[in-house]
Amino acid sequence: MTHTDDVGRSGLSRGLSMRHIQFIALGSAIGTGLFYGSASAIAAAGPAVILVYLVAGAGVYLVMRALGEMAVREPVAGSFGHYATQYLGPFAGFVTGWTYVFEMIVVALADVTAFGVYMQYWFPESPQWMWVVVIILLVAGINAISVKAYGETEFWLTLVKVGAIVAMVLGGIALLLTGTNLSGGYQSGLGNLIGHDGFTPYGLGGCLAALSVVVFAFGGVENVGITAGEADDPARAIPRAVNSVPVRILLFYVATMIVLMSLLPWTVIDGKSSPFVQIFAALGVPMAAALLNVVVITAAISAINSDTFGAGRMLFGMAEEGHAPAFFTSVTTRGVPWPATTVMCAALAVGAVLNAAIPKDVFVLIASIATFATVWVWLMILSSHIVMRRRISRGDLPESGFRSPGGAIGSWIAVAFMVLVIATLAWNEETRVSFVVGVLWIALLTVVYQVAVRRRATPSDHSSAV
């Protein structure tokens, strides 16, 4: 048996290679949020959304470096849920872990539903539920084989997404250099970035309105920390994956926005169709809409696959901490935590039925917690890192081999930015529901923790709180 198939002390397999983890990091924040969702961010801020992506990207980079420092020191399955327990106390770990699991279920459920819609593009007469069943069984099979099968699947799915984005950026640049205009008689050129009510048509308010959309688009980058528990060589793989974040943000978001809004005035990007379709069509790519459908299907499968993996490993880690039922620690002979994966797929199946049965506005209310949950998880990562750095400065812990830039100061800056994001969620009328539902969710978990966890815990279980 090779080293990459070794089963570690926890029972999980060390089956993720350097290549797997780098592409998991690359693909985790690339999905429908970029291919379709970017239009709503453009509508909110205009060309200034480029600056919003840059600022949010800097904040996310500090989150990733903080997580990377902890993950290299202690590569475990529960990742930031475990770190929250260790540095902030059991309650913080409980809330963080379950918030992340629920976020993954909700986000994956949205993608499962979207997959059914995408497949009806080619099979309009087929029932949507049939495709939901197909994708759930497919993802369950991939995750049940081995962690290496998951990593290999993510590698190839991400390759398709990255290829589509690179083709769009290079094709868009070619259109700009040749002076080709897209349909509708719109003049292309960099002048479009400032020629329609200026670079910041809605001022600071527009940038703040776009902030929540932009930050949510980056949701999932924290999955890199989850992979540490099954990385073949976490000390080498995690730093390389984390350090790729700035390049990824600049290329896949900032460059895409610059090219897109240079080809088309931002005022005509209405979100009714993907901007990618317009660009591919202008390049003379046959069946541009069908091609993009392949890409978004790939993105959906990738997201569901990653969410199932992440939630399953978090449940495994929480079970080891006593924050989830003990049977979640069971693994197959190949090191796959099968109960956690099974429950995740079952939750998707039940959720898909509910999605079809309950009113859409109720489902949107439930799903809105995903935005709040993303920022909450990042806040807990930063807070755990700050406490860890405090212990290092006191001499209680040895210095890290992969230190976050700025140490605790960098994390404090990122905390301030995340607080701004949460405040923006509460301030913006369209996103206020995310804040309200998020607060109610944290309150519910507080009650559950007091009733179901704390009462059965021993006094020593709470000694780690700072």
Side-chain angles (χ1 to χ4, degrees):
M1 180 179 289
T2 65
H3 178 60
T4 54
D5 290 323
D6 286 347
V7 176
R9 286 183 303 169
S10 66
L12 297 180
S13 174
R14 294 280 181 185
L16 294 177
S17 68
M18 180 84 70
R19 172 174 59 92
H20 293 146
I21 292 178
Q22 284 188 308
F23 269 75
I24 290 169
L26 198 62
S28 57
I30 302 173
T32 52
L34 175 60
F35 295 115
Y36 280 109
S38 56
S40 60
I42 292 172
V49 74
I50 295 170
L51 296 180
V52 180
Y53 275 111
L54 282 171
V55 172
V60 172
Y61 176 62
L62 289 173
V63 172
M64 292 303 297
R65 284 300 299 261
L67 176 58
E69 180 175 350
M70 293 185 290
V72 170
R73 289 179 68 96
E74 191 175 3
V76 294
S79 189
F80 41 84
H82 170 78
Y83 307 143
T85 298
Q86 183 174 356
Y87 297 115
L88 303 175
F91 173 68
F94 175 83
V95 174
T96 301
W98 281 108
T99 298
Y100 172 78
V101 169
F102 188 72
E103 175 196 357
M104 291 297 99
I105 291 175
V106 169
V107 173
L109 176 56
D111 281 303
V112 162
T113 305
F115 177 82
V117 174
Y118 297 153
M119 291 303 295
Q120 287 183 317
Y121 175 86
W122 289 303
F123 306 99
E125 303 301 322
S126 63
Q128 186 174 324
W129 65 264
M130 179 182 74
W131 298 112
V132 171
V133 172
V134 168
I135 189 59
I136 290 175
L137 291 177
L138 175 63
V139 170
I142 292 171
N143 279 269
I145 296 172
S146 67
V147 68
K148 188 174 182 179
Y150 158 75
E152 199 65 27
T153 302
E154 278 302 292
F155 172 81
W156 291 106
L157 292 175
T158 298
L159 206 58
V160 173
K161 294 189 290 184
V162 170
I165 296 170
V166 171
M168 195 286 290
V169 171
L170 295 179
I173 292 174
L175 290 173
L176 289 171
L177 292 176
T178 58
T180 304
N181 297 325
L182 297 187
S183 60
Y186 300 109
Q187 184 71 36
S188 63
L190 293 174
N192 281 328
L193 297 177
I194 58 174
H196 302 273
D197 298 323
F199 186 74
T200 56
Y202 299 119
L204 180 60
C207 292
L208 290 175
L211 187 59
S212 60
V213 179
V214 169
V215 168
F216 181 65
F218 292 138
V221 293
E222 68 276 4
N223 280 351
V224 175
I226 298 289
T227 66
E230 291 162 277
D232 183 31
D233 187 359
R236 290 179 62 238
I238 298 301
R240 288 194 182 184
V242 167
N243 285 331
S244 72
V245 170
V247 176
R248 178 168 77 243
I249 290 170
L250 287 173
L251 176 61
F252 297 130
Y253 283 92
V254 177
T256 299
M257 293 299 103
I258 292 174
V259 170
L260 182 60
M261 288 184 288
S262 296
L263 288 169
L264 280 172
W266 69 272
T267 52
V268 303
I269 301 174
D270 55 11
K272 292 181 180 178
S273 64
S274 171
F276 282 68
V277 172
Q278 293 174 282
I279 292 173
F280 284 146
L283 287 167
V285 177
M287 300 177 65
L291 178 63
L292 182 70
N293 204 52
V294 172
V295 175
V296 294
I297 284 175
T298 301
I301 297 173
S302 173
I304 299 163
N305 197 34
S306 280
D307 295 342
T308 301
F309 170 85
R313 269 52 179 187
M314 181 60 75
L315 283 170
F316 178 92
M318 286 196 298
E320 289 190 319
E321 301 277 355
H323 294 162
F327 75 91
F328 281 122
T329 59
S330 300
V331 296
T332 66
T333 55
R334 293 192 176 187
V336 175
W338 66 269
T341 301
T342 302
V343 167
M344 178 66 179
C345 291
L348 288 181
V350 172
V353 173
L354 291 176
N355 186 24
I358 65 177
K360 288 188 179 297
D361 55 343
V362 176
F363 179 74
V364 169
L365 181 67
I366 298 172
S368 65
I369 194 177
T371 305
F372 182 93
T374 297
V375 182
W376 172 270
V377 168
W378 291 350
L379 269 175
M380 291 299 100
I381 290 171
L382 293 166
S383 300
S384 300
H385 179 256
I386 289 169
V387 173
M388 185 195 72
R389 292 303 315 175
R390 187 185 305 158
R391 293 186 182 180
I392 291 174
S393 65
R394 291 199 305 248
D396 297 338
L397 294 174
E399 184 55 79
S400 304
F402 180 55
R403 182 176 176 179
S404 176
I409 295 176
S411 287
W412 275 116
I413 293 172
V415 164
F417 174 73
M418 297 306 161
V419 170
L420 173 64
V421 175
I422 291 178
T424 302
L425 289 176
W427 164 74
N428 191 338
E429 186 176 350
E430 293 184 359
T431 58
R432 192 170 298 147
V433 64
S434 301
F435 176 79
V436 174
V437 175
V439 171
L440 291 175
W441 170 252
I442 299 299
L444 173 63
L445 288 180
T446 301
V447 173
V448 172
Y449 179 80
Q450 295 295 331
V451 172
V453 179
R454 189 175 183 181
R455 288 185 179 179
R456 72 167 185 264
T458 62
S460 61
D461 290 330
H462 304 276
S463 60
S464 60
V466 176

